[in-house]
Amino acid sequence: MDRRQFLMGVSGLTVGLAGCTGDADESDAGGTDGPTAVQTTDHGTDDVTETRTQSDTGSELPAPETLLDRHYEALSGMAFVSEERFEPGYPDSPVVENDIRSDGDETLLEGTDAAQTFQDPDGKETVWFSGNARINRQNHAYNPDGFTPWYIQRVTVTSIFDIAAFEAADAASEGVRAFEATSADEAAAEDLDVDIRSVDVRVTIAEAGYLRSLEAELIAADTPESDETRTTSYHYEITNTGDVTVSAPEFVDYVPRIEGSITADNSAIRLEHTGGPSIPTDEGIGARDADGTVPSPDGSTFPEPFEPGDTAYVYWSAMHEDDYDEVSISMGDEPASVAREFVFPDDENSRGVVVRGRAIMSFFEVYLVQGA
């Protein structure tokens, strides 16, 4: 997204919380908005010792990507409560709201679902992050490396930092740095095809490296002669740290929880049904690796109901000249023979091997990476 789109409030900025609604490729093994391989042990206060050494205590605001990477690193494993609200200012663009509670181990995200799916009665979607699982009202995703919650809208915040010309400002408390902007960055303004009328931004950064707050209001028009303006506003704040409790939503018990691993010879994916409803025999399952893809509606079905406590194996059962491979399911025992092994991509940043399935009105996904 370019800066002009941000200023004019394009609706495409809204974050899609659903992420995993079947066979779409928008899902990612590590989430879409932040680092995935961050491990910290501090679950309490602002004194996150693992990230303090990375913090910048100077008078210059770090580059947006650096600042946001530190934000994710500091919040990973930390107990906190945050609130976020983005108003694009365009009549057809929905307001985005995200509220997060994390106790350092488990995270509850309640936010606007741009796709209008899996909504709670209040019009928001609830997503539960726990261990290696990411669960919403109709989907369970499993990744042995875990999932990073969407702590903040990176694209939106990066656009704000790119546009605003920041200067150091007085902070209200110790251990916090503050920066303010009342004008646009000259280089950024020259690149824009809009007329910026007003910039009012203030950001505070905790000593541990996370964004404590960000308040922004930008007013722009299509041309210098235009009387019609758009106001884009953004609010983000960490409202509490340390003493935070969080509980799993009730729907977690009603979504099938499928975990997985790959066999030692890469010949099959082992699925373990660890809880929730059973998966009937008429629901399809699909798979994807570096050499082939079978969408779940076109894949194999379970030969018998897949119940909690059961084990099943997904394997490539046939190969075709048109690159349309087939998958099958073996219940209880590893398959006696397979058409080929599962192949992991060479790019370590790609999505690896994925198994997807349906369970009546629910879905499950299992992401695997090399060596998992």
Side-chain angles (χ1 to χ4, degrees):
M1 181 196 64
D2 61 35
R3 300 184 186 101
R4 184 181 190 278
Q5 288 178 318
F6 168 76
L7 286 169
M8 300 314 293
V10 172
S11 60
L13 275 175
T14 54
V15 62
L17 297 180
C20 313
T21 56
D23 299 308
D25 284 339
E26 69 274 18
S27 305
D28 186 81
T32 58
D33 271 339
T36 59
V38 177
Q39 299 295 328
T40 60
T41 56
D42 189 292
H43 294 174
T45 67
D46 292 354
D47 296 328
V48 183
T49 57
E50 289 82 358
T51 59
R52 176 174 293 174
T53 57
Q54 302 176 23
S55 300
D56 192 333
T57 58
S59 60
E60 295 292 328
L61 187 68
E65 287 302 319
T66 299
L67 185 60
L68 289 170
D69 282 347
R70 292 173 181 171
H71 180 73
Y72 269 83
E73 291 166 2
L75 294 186
S76 180
M78 174 178 161
F80 72 95
V81 178
S82 70
E83 59 185 29
E84 181 180 40
R85 180 180 176 87
F86 173 52
E87 297 185 48
Y90 190 75
D92 296 330
S93 298
V95 173
V96 178
E97 294 182 293
N98 294 317
D99 298 306
I100 293 178
R101 294 184 64 87
S102 178
D103 64 7
D105 294 314
E106 299 176 319
T107 300
L108 183 68
L109 186 154
E110 296 179 292
T112 304
D113 177 15
Q116 301 298 304
T117 56
F118 305 152
Q119 285 188 347
D120 296 326
D122 61 0
K124 292 186 177 182
E125 183 196 358
T126 301
V127 185
W128 177 250
F129 295 83
S130 177
N132 297 322
R134 181 183 65 202
I135 307 172
N136 64 19
R137 191 170 290 276
Q138 288 186 302
N139 178 273
H140 174 276
Y142 171 83
N143 179 7
D145 283 352
F147 292 97
T148 299
W150 305 290
Y151 289 139
I152 198 168
Q153 292 189 78
R154 291 186 69 113
V155 174
T156 301
V157 174
T158 298
S159 296
I160 293 173
F161 284 128
D162 283 345
I163 292 169
F166 284 98
E167 295 182 353
D170 292 334
S173 59
E174 294 184 6
V176 176
R177 291 183 298 141
F179 297 87
E180 293 181 345
T182 56
S183 62
D185 178 85
E186 291 185 4
E190 291 178 0
D191 292 339
L192 294 173
D193 191 23
V194 296
D195 181 48
I196 301 177
R197 302 289 176 84
S198 174
V199 174
D200 185 7
V201 184
R202 179 177 172 87
V203 58
T204 61
I205 305 172
E207 185 179 5
Y210 63 84
L211 294 174
R212 182 183 290 273
S213 65
L214 174 59
E215 299 288 342
E217 182 179 270
L218 298 96
I219 302 175
D222 283 323
T223 66
E225 297 78 22
S226 176
D227 293 330
E228 183 178 357
T229 61
R230 306 289 188 202
T231 300
T232 300
S233 64
Y234 178 83
H235 164 80
Y236 179 86
E237 184 179 5
I238 300 288
T239 60
N240 187 25
T241 61
D243 186 16
V244 178
T245 58
V246 60
S247 300
E250 291 184 3
F251 63 72
V252 169
D253 293 332
Y254 303 102
V255 177
R257 296 186 292 284
I258 311 299
E259 299 184 2
S261 59
I262 194 163
T263 57
D265 58 1
N266 289 357
S267 64
I269 305 299
R270 181 187 300 104
L271 301 181
E272 304 284 348
H273 195 315
T274 61
S278 62
I279 299 176
T281 58
D282 57 351
E283 297 287 3
I285 189 171
R288 180 182 68 203
D289 68 357
D291 289 348
T293 299
V294 176
S296 60
D298 303 320
S300 180
T301 57
F302 287 91
E304 58 188 72
F306 192 31
E307 306 277 357
D310 286 351
T311 299
Y313 293 86
V314 178
Y315 62 98
W316 295 111
S317 54
M319 299 176 63
H320 301 277
E321 293 182 358
D322 60 0
D323 294 330
Y324 185 84
D325 297 343
E326 294 181 15
V327 293
S328 293
I329 301 172
S330 173
M331 299 295 293
D333 299 316
E334 292 188 31
S337 63
V338 300
R340 66 173 177 85
E341 297 177 358
F342 280 91
V343 179
F344 287 89
D346 294 331
D347 181 5
E348 63 180 13
N349 294 319
S350 64
R351 296 172 180 171
V353 172
V354 182
V355 173
R356 289 191 174 103
R358 301 176 185 271
I360 309 176
M361 294 300 293
S362 299
F363 307 91
F364 69 88
E365 297 178 304
V366 173
Y367 297 92
L368 296 174
V369 295
Q370 189 77 49

